[in-house]
Structures are given as C-alpha cells and as structure tokens.
Amino acid sequence: MSFPQNVNIDDYVTCQCNYDTTQIKSVIDSLDFGDERYDYDYSYFRFVDLNNDGACEILHYFSNSLRGWPYDFMAIYMFENALKKIGDFWSSLNWAESDGRFLQINSRSIGGHKTNPIYYNSVWRFDGVEYTLFYKPDMTKGDFQQCGNIAYKNKQYEEAYTCFNNALLTPHYSDDQLLASANDVAITLIQLNRSEEVETLLKKYLENCFDNKVKAAAYYNIGLAKEKMNYYDEALVNFTQSCKLNETKACREKIISLRSQ
C-alpha cells in the first residue's frame, strides 16, 4: 500500500468560519491546556475546510516552554451542533491528499534509541467520528528502498514504485537524501511509461540539494524521460547539465548519440 501524497495545508486555509471564533478559541484553549494556562503557553489557530463541505474545521497548534517551541501539539476540532475534537497529534506531521472525504495525515513516529532514532510513517484517516490509524507499516526508509530495489531488479515496476514512493514520503535527514529517493521513484516512472511525471517530481527537490552526484543523477533521469517522450533537444540539455555536475560514461554516450542524430 502506498502512502498518500503530501499536500500544503496553506492551500486550504481559505475557510470563513460562521461562528464566534473568539469564543471557539477560548473554549479550545481551555480544553487543550486544562484548567491552568501560563504566560509562556502558546496557541495558534487555523480554520480549514478539510472535507470540502464548506464548513470549517479548526486546527489548534499549541505548546509551552516546558515542551519547546514552536508548537509541539495539534488538536483538530469540528463543529456539528457542538464543538467536537476529532484528532490529537504531535505537530510533526504532513497533511496528505484526500481519501475522497477528508484530508489524510502522514504522521512521523520514532523508534530505536534516542541517540540513534529510526523514523517511521503512518497514515491517519477520518472514520466519520475521528482521525484513526489507517496504515502503519513496520518499515523504515531503508526497508522500503531495499524492497524497491529487489522489485525493480525483478521488473516488478508497480511494486517498485510503491516501495520507492513510500521511501520518499518517509522522513529524511537531508535534502540530498530526499532527491536520492526521488531519483528512485523517477527511474520507476520511466519504466511504467509515466515519463511525463519525472521532471515535475525531481524539480521539487533539485533546488535544495547540494550533492552534485545526486543532482547529476536527477538531470540524467530527466534526460531519460525527455528522450523517452522524443523531446530530444530537451533531453540533450539535461544530459549536458548532468555531465557538468558529474561526468559519467553513460551520460557522455547519451550526448554523443543525440548530437549525431
């Protein structure tokens, strides 16, 4: 099963609440902080339409100086005749594409030792009452990559895509690692005849990457995708850029071949 794609919650912060937001915030503060709230306690609210029904859900990000900053926690509320809590999370999560009803959540959890943490991803869905755990594989990013490599070598490209895509959506330590994972997804998209998706995917991660070898691989993969779509001039541009960053025999051969056509 594949993790849903992350979405930017800022794209959904357009909801106009039909209720007294000052009163709602006050009630939610009391619910989430308890009876005592101190000067160092922080709150931040967003009113978002999570299920595209025209009504606002309320996201309450909150923290205090004992737990750190910025917001450590996020509670989700909805208003159906009365205020109702439908989710409680650490704030280190990503909103994900809708399952047809509500936006989903990709949530990070940590295993291993505190000096050597291992990150896992889980998917949460709204079940009609609250957000509940939907999918939590006991697999790390490395586990997904290994499964993807095996499936790719066996030409099981759909399975490889699922594994590589899950690895991409699992927490990473650096932007270089993110682009390396995106490269795995890209080569599988080409094998699945989905080359038109490759450039958009990789360009999301290229800008923040510093490792020239990883960047060169990304431009090479874009070149492969362009070549597969018969956009030979664009393919040549990307292969040339790849060689400038990290010259390889395969890249040189692609450039020679395209220039001779």
Side-chain angles (χ1 to χ4, degrees):
M1 185 178 293
S2 185
F3 295 141
Q5 294 293 323
N6 294 334
V7 298
N8 186 353
I9 195 64
D10 291 337
D11 295 338
Y12 294 83
V13 186
T14 56
C15 190
Q16 298 297 317
C17 186
N18 296 323
Y19 306 102
D20 183 344
T21 57
T22 302
Q23 178 64 19
I24 287 175
K25 290 178 181 179
S26 177
V27 171
I28 290 176
D29 269 344
S30 297
L31 291 171
D32 289 332
F33 283 112
D35 296 331
E36 298 185 19
R37 181 175 177 184
Y38 302 98
D39 291 339
Y40 51 69
D41 292 329
Y42 297 94
S43 280
Y44 178 67
F45 290 88
R46 285 183 167 185
F47 292 83
V48 185
D49 187 358
L50 297 177
N51 61 339
N52 200 31
D53 69 346
C56 292
E57 282 71 49
I58 306 109
L59 312 183
H60 181 213
Y61 297 89
F62 61 102
S63 182
N64 61 59
S65 62
L66 301 178
R67 297 295 305 179
W69 181 260
Y71 314 99
D72 286 315
F73 311 106
M74 183 191 72
I76 311 170
Y77 290 84
M78 67 187 307
F79 209 100
E80 285 185 347
N81 301 318
L83 196 63
K84 173 185 172 186
K85 182 182 283 191
I86 61 173
D88 233 334
F89 294 90
W90 291 93
S91 61
S92 57
L93 54 79
N94 288 300
W95 290 97
E97 61 192 359
S98 174
D99 63 350
R101 299 174 301 170
F102 271 70
L103 290 185
Q104 300 174 90
I105 292 171
N106 285 326
S107 179
R108 175 187 302 180
S109 58
I110 301 176
H113 193 271
K114 63 181 180 180
T115 60
N116 186 28
I118 301 171
Y119 295 105
Y120 298 89
N121 203 35
S122 57
V123 181
W124 294 71
R125 282 184 176 179
F126 185 70
D127 65 2
V129 177
E130 62 184 351
Y131 274 90
T132 57
L133 184 62
F134 175 71
Y135 177 50
K136 186 180 181 181
D138 188 24
M139 296 177 69
T140 65
K141 174 170 68 70
D143 293 332
F144 280 122
Q145 287 172 330
Q146 184 177 9
C147 289
N149 286 330
I150 293 170
Y152 190 90
K153 288 178 181 177
N154 292 330
K155 299 184 179 181
Q156 298 168 329
Y157 299 123
E158 288 287 356
E159 182 178 345
Y161 172 77
T162 296
C163 294
F164 287 145
N165 195 54
N166 282 355
L168 178 60
L169 292 172
T170 301
H172 287 62
Y173 289 105
S174 71
D175 291 319
D176 293 340
Q177 285 189 358
L178 268 171
L179 182 56
S181 291
N183 276 327
D184 290 335
V185 177
I187 61 173
T188 313
L189 287 171
I190 294 169
Q191 295 293 345
L192 291 170
N193 295 315
R194 294 167 57 183
S195 295
E196 70 280 359
E197 300 175 39
V198 168
E199 182 174 23
T200 299
L201 169 70
L202 295 179
K203 286 293 180 70
K204 287 196 301 184
Y205 304 103
L206 261 167
E207 183 177 348
N208 296 319
C209 179
F210 293 97
D211 188 313
N212 280 348
K213 288 186 177 180
V214 179
K215 291 169 68 174
Y219 282 110
Y220 183 80
N221 289 332
I222 295 172
L224 289 177
K226 296 293 185 180
E227 185 181 31
K228 191 78 176 285
M229 294 187 291
N230 300 325
Y231 298 152
Y232 299 119
D233 289 342
E234 293 180 47
L236 180 58
V237 168
N238 283 283
F239 288 137
T240 302
Q241 181 61 27
S242 178
C243 266
K244 286 180 180 178
L245 292 166
N246 182 50
E247 188 170 332
T248 64
K249 179 181 177 182
C251 194
R252 288 198 308 270
E253 289 176 349
K254 284 291 185 183
I255 292 172
I256 293 169
S257 175
L258 288 171
R259 284 177 175 170
S260 66
Q261 290 184 14

